[in-house]
Amino acid sequence: MAKSKDHVRSGQNRGRRVSRGRSLKPLVVFAVEGATERVYINALITHRYGNRIAPFFAETRDKSSLTNLVSEIERKMQRDGGAAEGAWIVCDTDANACHREQLEKWLLQSERHRVAISHPCIEYWFVLHFKVTARSLDAQHVVKELDKEWLGGKSYKKGASIPPDLINATENAIKRVRTRRQSLDSGADVWNSPQWTDMPELVEWLDDLDPQSSARTLDSGNVS
């Protein structure tokens, strides 16, 4: 899993990126489940990292299964990933539990291979940018809950653009995920918890990769 300051999912906490010249943007290969994940990653790269990181996306169809994501990211890495700092699969749990073995094999192939999974969906991660906790436990109701909090009085739509204000609230969401994990039993993860997201590990990994990264700290008094 992702290299994490909390070491929550230690199976992925392996290795560090290879140093590269400051004149080139670090390259990261992604295989994402759908348009929402792609739009979010692009917004994150733009608004948090000032486009100082170059994302390359594998050619995946919308609502791709974990099997398809593994196959496509392998193909993308073989074709364009020689200089990549890492390869990330970003998806929801959906019906992917049956593909866990294939995912684990892929993760063990290289220290560059990583995954960020959300349960029940990535919108759970979005909700935590606005609220201390999310009430909903299934994807359909999480989306409805997010819709009530969406910025600018507009309705949330999957695959629509992500506003900068959401990205600016990333530190709040990270802290709320950590607080949530502290309340879970030892050994809890995305496959056995009613709510979970690995997105903080992805963000922290990208923070470390950012050529102009600076310490991002959050005054606890700013989180409600």
Side-chain angles (χ1 to χ4, degrees), residues 68-212:
N68 178 254
L69 295 178
V70 170
S71 297
E72 291 302 323
I73 202 166
E74 287 179 333
R75 185 175 292 110
K76 185 67 172 178
M77 286 293 286
Q78 290 172 359
R79 185 170 63 243
D80 302 317
E85 303 287 355
W88 282 83
I89 289 175
V90 182
C91 65
D92 303 336
T93 48
D94 292 327
N96 283 319
C98 60
H99 305 303
R100 288 175 61 183
E101 183 176 353
Q102 183 178 0
L103 174 63
E104 293 298 332
K105 288 181 179 178
W106 177 76
L107 289 171
L108 291 172
Q109 289 174 7
S110 172
E111 293 181 350
R112 294 190 297 169
H113 294 179
R114 298 170 184 266
V115 62
I117 306 177
S118 297
H119 180 73
C121 55
I122 195 173
E123 282 81 8
Y124 167 65
W125 166 242
F126 295 166
V127 169
L128 295 179
H129 289 66
F130 307 113
K131 301 175 63 179
V132 175
T133 60
R135 299 188 310 273
S136 306
L137 299 179
D138 65 85
Q140 182 178 2
H141 287 93
V142 169
V143 170
K144 290 181 178 179
E145 188 172 349
L146 177 62
D147 187 62
K148 295 178 181 179
E149 305 295 333
W150 201 240
L151 297 162
K154 299 179 180 179
S155 297
Y156 169 76
K157 294 182 180 180
K158 292 184 73 69
S161 61
I162 300 294
D165 285 349
L166 183 140
I167 303 300
N168 292 339
T170 298
E171 300 296 339
N172 288 9
I174 290 174
K175 187 161 187 176
R176 289 161 182 167
V177 169
R178 289 174 177 163
T179 299
R180 166 65 177 165
R181 291 182 187 179
Q182 291 173 0
S183 70
L184 300 175
D185 294 336
S186 175
D189 64 16
V190 70
W191 303 109
N192 60 25
S193 302
Q195 296 173 326
W196 187 278
T197 180
D198 292 322
M199 296 305 291
E201 281 81 2
L202 170 57
V203 172
E204 290 172 349
W205 187 88
L206 290 171
D207 283 353
D208 186 57
L209 189 65
D210 181 10
Q212 298 182 23

Side-chain angles (χ1 to χ4, degrees), residues 52-63:
R52 293 182 296 273
I53 297 171
F56 274 25
F57 290 92
E59 297 178 3
T60 56
R61 58 184 180 274
D62 199 29
K63 297 183 179 180

